[in-house]
Amino acid sequence: MTDDKDVLRDVWFGRIPTCFTLYQDEITEREAEPYYLLLPRISYLTLVTDKVKKHFQKVMRQEEVSEIWFEYEGTPLKWHYPIGLLFDLHASNTALPWSITVHFKNFPEKDLLHCHSKDVIESHFMACIKEADALKHKSQVINEMQKKDHKQLWMGLQNDKFEQFWAINRKLMEYPPEENGFRYIPFRVYQATTERPFIQKLFRPIASGGQLHTLGDLLKDVCPSAITPEDGEQKTQVMIHGIEPMLETPIQWLSEHMSYPDNFLHISIIPRPTD
Amino acid sequence: EPLDDSQASAVCATEEVIRYEYHVLYSNSYQVPVLYFRACFLDGRPLTLDEIWKSVHACYQARLLERPWDTITQQEHPLLGQPFFVLHPCQTNEFMSSILTSSQKHNRLTNYIILWLSTVGPVVGLNLDLSYANLAPEQNT
């Protein structure tokens, strides 16, 4: 359907206007101007911020610069989470542009994974895709692909090439004609208020009677507090790519159309704004 | 004879105490156990992957380099949210099934976790005491 393909494009081309400011304690030779950038929702911080790094390194001394890391209101931002997920989880109901603080010292070893090169990002990205296919197809589709197909997925993401990416990714979205969907849905549910970083469980898209499970069914199973109202009021929002999909949406459709390029549905449960 | 304080501290200064932490988790996605670990010095400074490599016994270093299933990467612990090193799980089924098949051929009783942990553990400094071999096996398979 034409409409469904439009969703794929809307997801791919989503952007978040962001303002990067250097942390005030970093030592500079002259004043550091903030740097503005439109961040792709579907990408990763360390993949798209080379210009940010160059901009701030221009005003710093070489010896003051080690691994870059990002923080929002005191919270170190996990570069291995897609940008859109980080925004929805931490800042979705705040005024734009998103204000991120840039650091070059005191890397928070207990909170963040290191990211010494683009290879680390590629490794992480491919590991997520492989895990998603383990859930969807017992790894059959990803294992049948050649190395060059794997490379094309990564290059498509890195170079923001929708067609190049989907030429291969469409195979990961197929399922046998006798089935009505994937074996299990690759998803993670995030809540900033909990210790646990995310919830991930085995969940089938099709019920034993053949009906399609919905987003609401998944949440009821994985995180019931997210959808049962307290005192009759819905205190939380369920957000994917900056929108609140209807809870009646079939989870199989969401998996095929609103997954991130890593083939996972990253779902945020956030406090509903009170105004 | 007892060492006096200055001698005792001189001895300690040449040795480094490293605290290793190992977690065994179960991967729903791959349906196998996965080994997560991290190490730090007593002052809290974490070891880098390079430093951990150096502490792995030389005989395992060569093996690690040639076997893809022993790849170690840094990943987020799914329950604690903190960085750990992880022994990659995607080939676990392959090497475990060959061990299990030969055990069954020789009618040896098996405990999956002991078999798995005694294979992957020593590679990252975790050595199981031999008494684990005497533990009661699993009821099925």
Side-chain angles (χ1 to χ4, degrees):
Chain A
M1 288 181 66
T2 338
D3 285 337
D4 282 1
K5 283 240 165 66
D6 288 343
V7 172
L8 299 181
R9 283 189 171 272
D10 288 343
V11 165
W12 183 271
F13 291 106
R15 296 286 185 269
I16 296 169
T18 308
C19 172
F20 290 92
T21 312
L22 187 64
Y23 183 55
Q24 63 208 14
D25 289 359
E26 298 284 338
I27 297 161
T28 57
E29 300 191 324
R30 24 180 215 293
E31 173 135 15
E33 295 278 322
Y35 191 87
Y36 292 83
L37 193 58
L38 280 175
L39 296 179
R41 274 181 162 276
I42 50 138
S43 193
Y44 301 95
L45 279 172
T46 45
L47 190 55
V48 297
T49 50
D50 282 344
K51 291 199 177 134
V52 176
K53 193 160 78 165
K54 282 200 183 81
H55 169 80
F56 290 116
Q57 282 178 342
K58 271 197 291 220
V59 302
M60 295 174 71
R61 283 204 303 249
Q62 216 1 60
E63 55 268 29
E64 298 294 337
V65 174
S66 68
E67 189 175 349
I68 194 173
W69 58 280
F70 305 97
E71 162 246 311
Y72 174 70
E73 296 197 339
T75 305
L77 294 175
K78 297 179 180 180
W79 66 263
H80 69 288
Y81 284 9
I83 291 167
L85 167 63
L86 290 170
F87 180 77
D88 289 344
L89 197 56
H90 297 299
S92 65
N93 290 308
T94 64
L96 294 172
W98 188 18
S99 293
I100 292 182
T101 309
V102 180
H103 293 258
F104 287 99
K105 288 207 307 276
N106 298 318
F107 190 88
E109 303 281 349
K110 285 227 148 55
D111 299 299
L112 299 183
L113 302 181
H114 281 285
C115 189
H116 294 302
S117 72
K118 298 280 188 291
D119 290 345
V120 176
I121 313 174
E122 181 180 1
S123 229
H124 165 70
F125 176 65
M126 291 312 301
C128 290
I129 289 189
K130 287 178 183 168
E131 184 179 350
D133 204 58
L135 287 165
K136 289 198 274 188
H137 305 117
K138 290 200 214 179
S139 302
Q140 277 160 11
V141 179
I142 196 73
N143 285 345
E144 264 166 22
M145 285 183 185
Q146 298 174 353
K147 257 203 165 66
K148 67 175 175 75
D149 293 336
H150 294 177
K151 223 24 171 173
Q152 191 167 328
L153 289 169
W154 165 246
M155 297 305 288
L157 177 73
Q158 188 179 27
N159 300 325
D160 193 25
K161 295 268 189 265
F162 175 84
E163 301 290 350
Q164 185 186 30
F165 177 81
W166 274 96
I168 308 298
N169 200 51
R170 62 176 184 81
K171 298 186 212 169
L172 295 168
M173 293 301 179
E174 289 168 352
Y175 46 87
E178 60 272 19
E179 314 287 342
N180 283 320
F182 305 135
R183 183 159 187 255
Y184 295 110
I185 298 292
F187 76 90
R188 291 191 176 151
V189 176
Y190 304 79
Q191 250 180 307
T193 51
T194 59
E195 265 252 358
R196 191 169 169 178
F198 56 81
I199 304 172
Q200 181 180 344
K201 283 168 85 170
L202 294 178
F203 188 82
R204 290 196 189 276
I206 318 287
S208 48
Q211 321 93 287
L212 293 169
H213 277 140
T214 65
L215 177 60
D217 292 333
L218 182 145
L219 292 170
K220 221 181 301 177
D221 191 44
V222 164
C223 189
S225 56
I227 53 172
T228 40
E230 284 172 31
D231 317 317
E233 254 188 63
Q234 188 53 263
K235 292 230 162 68
T236 57
Q237 286 179 305
V238 176
M239 191 162 288
I240 312 177
H241 294 297
I243 63 158
E244 288 185 80
M246 290 170 60
L247 295 181
E248 293 83 5
T249 315
I251 198 75
Q252 175 64 31
W253 186 92
L254 280 172
S255 183
E256 288 175 50
H257 296 89
M258 291 190 69
S259 289
Y260 281 76
D262 64 4
N263 277 231
F264 269 82
L265 271 173
H266 296 286
I267 303 167
S268 301
I269 311 290
I270 54 175
R272 183 174 293 277
T274 46
D275 57 65
Chain B
E1 64 191 337
L3 296 165
D4 70 352
D5 280 345
S6 60
Q7 282 179 293
S9 42
V11 169
C12 288
T14 61
E15 293 170 350
E16 283 165 336
V17 179
I18 299 172
R19 186 166 159 262
Y20 277 82
E21 199 180 327
Y22 298 93
H23 296 216
V24 175
L25 276 75
Y26 179 73
S27 163
N28 272 326
S29 307
Y30 293 103
Q31 305 193 324
V32 289
V34 187
L35 186 61
Y36 285 71
F37 64 98
R38 61 182 175 186
C40 58
F41 295 101
L42 284 185
D43 62 5
R45 181 168 75 82
L47 269 75
T48 62
L49 188 52
D50 277 343
E51 287 166 323
I52 292 187
W53 273 130
K54 289 193 175 69
S55 64
V56 166
H57 197 285
C59 74
Y60 290 112
Q61 279 178 6
R63 186 177 128 188
L64 260 156
L65 289 170
E66 68 181 67
R67 300 264 212 158
W69 55 262
D70 286 333
T71 321
I72 300 177
T73 52
Q74 199 189 29
Q75 295 197 24
E76 179 183 42
H77 190 293
L79 298 172
L80 301 178
Q82 293 174 8
F84 272 71
F85 294 110
V86 185
L87 215 42
H88 206 279
C90 67
Q91 303 266 18
T92 301
N93 266 326
E94 240 178 77
F95 74 79
M96 281 304 294
S97 58
S98 59
I99 299 173
L100 287 168
T101 327
S102 78
S103 282
Q104 278 155 13
K105 240 198 316 207
H106 296 99
N107 276 320
R108 271 188 244 123
L109 301 165
T110 58
N111 178 308
Y112 186 101
I113 288 294
I114 301 297
L115 269 176
W116 169 78
L117 196 53
S118 60
T119 308
V120 300
V123 174
V124 292
L126 177 60
N127 296 300
L128 282 189
D129 191 284
L130 287 175
S131 59
Y132 277 99
N134 295 325
L135 283 182
E138 294 170 342
Q139 291 300 86
N140 51 342
T141 337

